[in-house]
Amino acid sequence: MRNLIFIVLGFLIIGCHTLEQVKKTKDITTPIVLVIHGGAGNINPENLSNEKEYQQALNEALEAGYEVLESGGTALEAVEIAIAIMEDSPLFNAGKGAVFNHYGQNELDASVMDGSNLKAGAVTGLMRVKNPISAALAVMRHSKHVMLSGDGAEEFCKEQGLQMVDPSYFYTEKQYNRLIEIQNKEIDAKEEKKGTVGAVALDKNGNIVAGTSTGGMTDKKYGRIGDSPIIGAGTYADNNTCGISCTGTGEYFIRTVAAHEVSNLMQYQDLNLQQAQKKVIEKIGRLGGDGGMIGVDKKGNVAWFFNTQGMFRAYKKSNGAKEIRFYGI
Ligand code: ASP
């Protein structure tokens, strides 16, 4: 009888312990999260006739990136896939749908940052690399530099075996017409929908990665570099705070070192991600700039903020939450 009591007690203790372990493991399990954007700007229900196409494209990028995270892949892999899908879509101002500079050329910029070690890679002024985000990743992984530009960047991409294309690959009628309209002053550059793309992911190891890719601004000067390839301005990631990808009039995001500023406000002023983003975008607004940003913090909270009419954006989290939105905050 006594033995039986000990055995039952033993089972109870082991049982409780196991339950406790399960609870603890659940509590400390890092959520996995992916948030993406397809640019901020003059986006409203009246001027967006192809809402469905944007919905589909964002969904495809989001699901592909999220699947990587769900199957145990890294935040770096998820960000690359999500951004590459948007680069391959003519809907966005990155890769295939990039805007034209003043001379009717496409000059592409991209960057990526790994929040686990603060490593980063960036490229500017590409004209022949199909997926600039992969170029940025290659710079981070396989060179001792952070940023490569123009011909040198393309030479490096070729050496790395990245897919190269003829510059005409980036031609789209929609963007070319836009250039002509802006040059003829039929529309103001401010009326643009924009369409830079970005992604921020938090993987199962708690690593945060942010990436951004763009064709820049329509009618930009040859050689102009915006915020997207500048670490700290358009892209930033630090596992201790957050990951951020920006979109908007790049010059203002450079001047306010926008993405890094969000991280700083969280680290040194104890603001949460949403408060920090709001503060930075409001400052950009006061200076006369417009745009927005997306982000994920180390706990897996997602936030976005913009001072334009809309921003193409979406997120998916391991708690089942998912949203794809264009308008309203
Ligand atoms: N930030 C990009 C740039 O200035 C443009 C954009 O996001 O629309 O190049």
Side-chain angles (χ1 to χ4, degrees), residues 13-89:
I13 290 167
I14 290 169
C16 288
H17 187 68
T18 318
L19 257 182
E20 198 47 35
Q21 282 291 104
V22 170
K23 235 183 108 220
K24 265 195 196 147
T25 320
K26 216 171 166 215
D27 289 347
I28 58 163
T29 299
T30 319
I32 56 172
V33 183
L34 180 65
V35 55
I36 61 173
H37 72 79
N42 185 19
I43 304 161
N44 61 56
E46 280 82 57
N47 69 10
L48 197 66
S49 53
N50 49 351
E51 202 174 287
K52 263 217 170 103
E53 284 175 47
Y54 279 99
Q55 184 92 22
Q56 271 170 10
L58 287 172
N59 193 51
E60 193 194 333
L62 184 68
E63 289 296 337
Y66 188 81
E67 205 183 303
V68 167
L69 295 174
E70 206 171 33
S71 54
T74 64
L76 273 173
E77 291 162 337
V79 163
E80 182 180 19
I81 284 184
I83 291 185
I85 288 174
M86 292 188 281
E87 286 177 338
D88 291 344
S89 163

